Amino acid sequence: MTDLTPSFDEKSPLYQQLYRHIVSLIRAGELREGEKLPSKRALAAHLGLSLTTVERAYGLLLSEGYVESRPRSGCRVCADVRAPGETPPAPPLPRREDEPRLNDCFSTSAVDTSLFPYATWARLSKEAVYQNPELLQRGEAQGDLPLRRALGDFLRQYRGVRCAPEQIVVGAGLEALMWVLLQLLPDGVFALEDPGYAALRRLLDNLGRPYVPIGLDGRGMDAAALGASSANVAYVTPSHQFPLGVTMPVGRRGELLRWAYERPGRWLIEDDYDAEFRYGSRPIPAMQGLDGGEKVIYLGTFSRTLAPAIRVAYLILPPELLESYRARSGHAACTVSRFEQEALARFLASGAYSRHLRREGLLYRRRRDALVSLLEGRGEIAGADAGLHLLFTVPGRDEGKMVRRAAEEGYRVRGLGEYAIAAPTPPGALVLGFAGLSQEEAPAAVGALLRAVT
Amino acid sequence: MTDLTPSFDEKSPLYQQLYRHIVSLIRAGELREGEKLPSKRALAAHLGLSLTTVERAYGLLLSEGYVESRPRSGCRVCADVRAPGETPPAPPLPRREDEPRLNDCFSTSAVDTSLFPYATWARLSKEAVYQNPELLQRGEAQGDLPLRRALGDFLRQYRGVRCAPEQIVVGAGLEALMWVLLQLLPDGVFALEDPGYAALRRLLDNLGRPYVPIGLDGRGMDAAALGASSANVAYVTPSHQFPLGVTMPVGRRGELLRWAYERPGRWLIEDDYDAEFRYGSRPIPAMQGLDGGEKVIYLGTFSRTLAPAIRVAYLILPPELLESYRARSGHAACTVSRFEQEALARFLASGAYSRHLRREGLLYRRRRDALVSLLEGRGEIAGADAGLHLLFTVPGRDEGKMVRRAAEEGYRVRGLGEYAIAAPTPPGALVLGFAGLSQEEAPAAVGALLRAVT
């Protein structure tokens, strides 16, 4: 423990204690040269001291040269007040290691935000602040009703999802909703797609909770392996498996649903993370709708379609889980700002979101087409019918070597093995996102990539 | 499983399948009377079908009378299309039970938002959207640096907290940060104040994690009982214990810190949830600053000072925990919208937040004074020197009866026993918040309260 701390004991006058406290902060380098002190009045009000006490403490600091005062600009810390030989300030904390600055245009989580509806969003945000004083108070744990209504209408029309607003829970990103699920399913043994999306696995690892990796075939999660496992909650991405890009056919969906119905306490989590984007293939509505929503917990997010910075995701709970959800999480506060909920509700209900999706779909289709045509003939392309990434395989190549050589060319690419838990992945496969690959950049970026992999 | 689902099989023409799907939604009552269908063009683009396919499906719906079309306003579902004898729509889901509508002006979580800086906040929000296209992309897991810098400066000056921006983690409310802590301290056995704040306990209950309730004396958590327990993480509210209102004196803080230093792997969580408001008593800086931040995890929130709807809280991690935090949560996305982070950073750095706190402090002081003067002589008042609630005890009275009689008078009040885990609480004690008790309302509300308790 350090002794450079304010003590506010009973023995010495308060102004002296305040003075010593500030001196100690300056000496420790915690108040930096040129930094402005709060006004006397503000500090007095905040600390519950009289103005006189603060004035005397500031007076001492001034007279001893720790701070200087200029008319109308308050007190600032002087230069070079640390005496030689005094304890130096604490060494800088370890910083996040800077990764080499590689071009990450193939990122699978990139979003092109050039289409972001700035004007509309700014207007809706401002209206939300001004027009709804009651929005400042705490809202419903599962999110405000106008947003849940608009979302339910949207999902029913566009994804074939079947739900009432009471089943929807809004949260600040998929991970925040996974916390809700982990509380709701305390005895869940999770089946994870292998290879698959790592967020849920990391959470389970961090909490020391059990999970079972289940391999995939060309139709998605292996239903036989799932049935033979100890898992009771299967997490799947049927509309566009991450990272393989497989769209799960209706037959496999039926097999998984049958697994869920076989025993009580079994659930499917359908993460529909990038279902908004399909390129010419026939649509397969959400598994949640196939099932009528009895056994499927549905997850979706606006981070891919609006902007990663906007933290709004949602889950749809089967009616059977609602009561337990309310008992366990009904007291919690919703993790999304109510202003943002209101802005998004209006954005959805006005039809602006559908228009935005349409524009985005056209842009991403062009990017996909450009990437596919540049890659064609140089390897195998899979999973390009939907979503924002595809799988590119150059048979026989070593994945690690491809990633390293791409880095030497200045590009960050991800090998399929990065997403594997236990299952071996075919060699020579790269997971390439195209949402962040502009048409101008594509030829050079793909050129470098192809030099690296061939 | 229901059969009212779209099948999109290979056997019948797509337009017929689409038509049947929409019919089934209308029959099930999921598409309601008067509801507008998406435009043909929008639906075609979204489903990846040709415009002709959708036009034929809509044509069938029109000709069979399921929908009607008006120029320039699209297709709407007609009235009364469900044939008698068909399956009725699913029964309404269980709704949250409506509590009797009691006046909740004594709520301990109320915030008076009449002082909310609408104009400033709306301007800052709008600027954040317009001026920072890069804010749309994913930010740092622990929150953006400008906010963490401004927050560190503020906490250092106002709370004596010592930290570098690298130690700060921003999240969407205290509960979101508790999730971070639960992942960071997977072997934590938590010591909880008894009586105390229930959020952490609920989370631990939901996850089946162990905790130990520790009783309080007039100086806060009982350090001897803590030392004798199996706990290694103690959660305390030293600046204004919830719900007793005790401010922990420096001596007890020292005892708790000594406990933490006795063995590696012991931590204190200091929840400084309403430290911003003190009324005339001497300030005691945060325990985090006393310790130099080595053993104390500091938690704070803007929900009490700005508005409950604004979900921004923060924690300060000891340097020793930083590396582990980055390994466990460095990949997660921050749960707070970057627009709101940027707006708040500007609000703090400009000094507007300090001014806002000052105005709020004056308002809440007046409300506290009004409540105290109305209660004086009718019972014992404790914990009124700080924060936004006080403890009012009418010795010898039955708590449950007081709460019931207040409800009969139309007011919701909370007995101290509501916050107890295992320790017996003194009878006849009510926890009264005053932040939501306007001066106009106070005489009538307190009058009713006093009728109920005497």
Side-chain angles (χ1 to χ4, degrees), chain A residues 170-193:
Chain A
V170 173
L174 288 179
E175 215 179 285
L177 295 171
M178 285 173 187
W179 298 338
V180 172
L181 289 179
L182 290 175
Q183 292 179 71
L184 193 56
L185 307 168
D187 304 318
V189 176
F190 289 79
L192 304 182
E193 294 174 329

Side-chain angles (χ1 to χ4, degrees), chain A residues 27-80:
Chain A
R27 286 193 171 165
E30 291 205 54
L31 279 170
R32 292 174 293 228
E33 175 184 337
E35 193 162 345
K36 202 175 156 186
L37 297 184
S39 79
K40 295 167 198 163
R41 195 169 302 273
L43 193 62
H46 183 76
L47 295 178
L49 300 171
S50 74
L51 187 57
T52 318
T53 302
V54 178
E55 279 173 344
R56 290 178 73 180
Y58 275 33
L60 271 177
L61 291 167
L62 272 168
S63 66
E64 300 202 0
Y66 283 104
V67 302
E68 54 191 7
S69 166
R70 286 189 198 147
R72 293 179 200 285
S73 87
C75 286
R76 286 176 191 280
V77 175
C78 293
D80 293 314

Side-chain angles (χ1 to χ4, degrees), chain B residues 102-136:
Chain B
L102 297 175
N103 186 325
D104 203 11
C105 60
F106 294 112
S107 164
T108 58
S109 58
V111 172
D112 189 295
T113 51
S114 64
L115 295 178
F116 185 78
Y118 287 101
T120 309
W121 195 259
R123 177 176 54 76
L124 291 173
S125 301
K126 198 177 134 192
E127 286 174 8
V129 174
Y130 267 115
Q131 296 176 358
N132 303 276
E134 80 280 4
L135 281 189
L136 288 170

